[in-house]
Amino acid sequence: MKRFEFKIKRSYLVRLDYGKDLVDQLSSFLEKEGVQTAYVSGIGAVKNAEIGYYDQKKKEYVKRRVEEELEILSLSGNVSLKDGRPYPHIHVVLGKDGNVYAGHLFSAEVFACEIFLLVLDDEAPVRDFDSLTGLFLWS
Ligand code: ZN
């Protein structure tokens, strides 16, 4: 088990721009504001989302594009450092009219999106390749 302890430094509410990629916008904001560690949550609506899950046997992500217009029923994740840059790791539950799609979020076109960022203080956890899982985990 790895353990990191932080104090809350500051927080943001961020409204993302229509028509642009959710993950790209969030990554740009993190870089611009110098945020290296954070808790992320959000709600809103997107289309053309690319989500996926990690195949634990093959050690690779299986991706799926969902072209529907969907509500972000839940978005949560964290920010840490990967390759020296802030890396948002985001999971979502997207849905509409009883249909639900969930998984790791790779990209999504924003219709409207409200993000809450809780920025944490002190040294950011760093993601390194973990040969046991094939994932980039906090080292
Ligand atoms: Zn993930």
Side-chain angles (χ1 to χ4, degrees):
M1 185 186 295
K2 304 274 182 194
R3 179 179 179 275
F4 304 88
E5 187 174 334
F6 302 97
K7 288 192 169 60
I8 295 168
K9 193 174 184 180
R10 61 185 187 275
S11 58
Y12 294 100
L13 283 170
V14 185
R15 199 201 87 183
L16 300 181
D17 292 338
Y18 175 92
K20 296 180 184 169
D21 184 69
L22 190 156
V23 180
D24 286 350
Q25 287 190 71
L26 183 56
S27 296
S28 299
F29 182 84
L30 296 170
E31 288 226 33
K32 188 170 151 254
E33 299 298 327
V35 174
Q36 299 189 334
T37 317
Y39 168 76
V40 184
S41 72
I43 52 173
V46 294
K47 61 181 173 181
N48 295 324
E50 189 173 38
I51 58 173
Y53 68 91
Y54 192 72
D55 185 317
Q56 296 179 16
K57 286 194 179 64
K58 293 180 179 172
K59 294 184 179 179
E60 62 186 27
Y61 278 100
V62 178
K63 295 181 180 181
R64 168 183 192 171
R65 182 167 291 279
V66 188
E67 292 181 356
E68 286 177 61
E69 297 164 355
L70 299 165
E71 296 291 309
I72 301 171
L73 304 174
S74 175
L75 178 155
S76 65
N78 57 60
V79 178
S80 57
L81 284 178
K82 185 180 171 194
D83 301 323
R85 301 172 71 182
Y87 172 77
H89 183 194
I90 307 292
H91 285 195
V92 288
V93 180
L94 305 173
K96 185 174 69 179
D97 211 17
N99 293 320
V100 169
Y101 307 89
H104 180 102
L105 179 67
F106 293 97
S107 66
E109 189 181 324
V110 170
F111 180 78
C113 183
E114 298 169 346
I115 295 286
F116 174 59
L117 269 177
L118 200 56
V119 181
L120 305 173
D121 213 353
D122 222 340
E123 213 168 307
V126 174
R127 291 187 179 276
D128 282 314
F129 183 74
D130 174 70
S131 57
L132 192 61
T133 61
L135 293 165
F136 285 81
L137 301 179
W138 296 327
S139 58

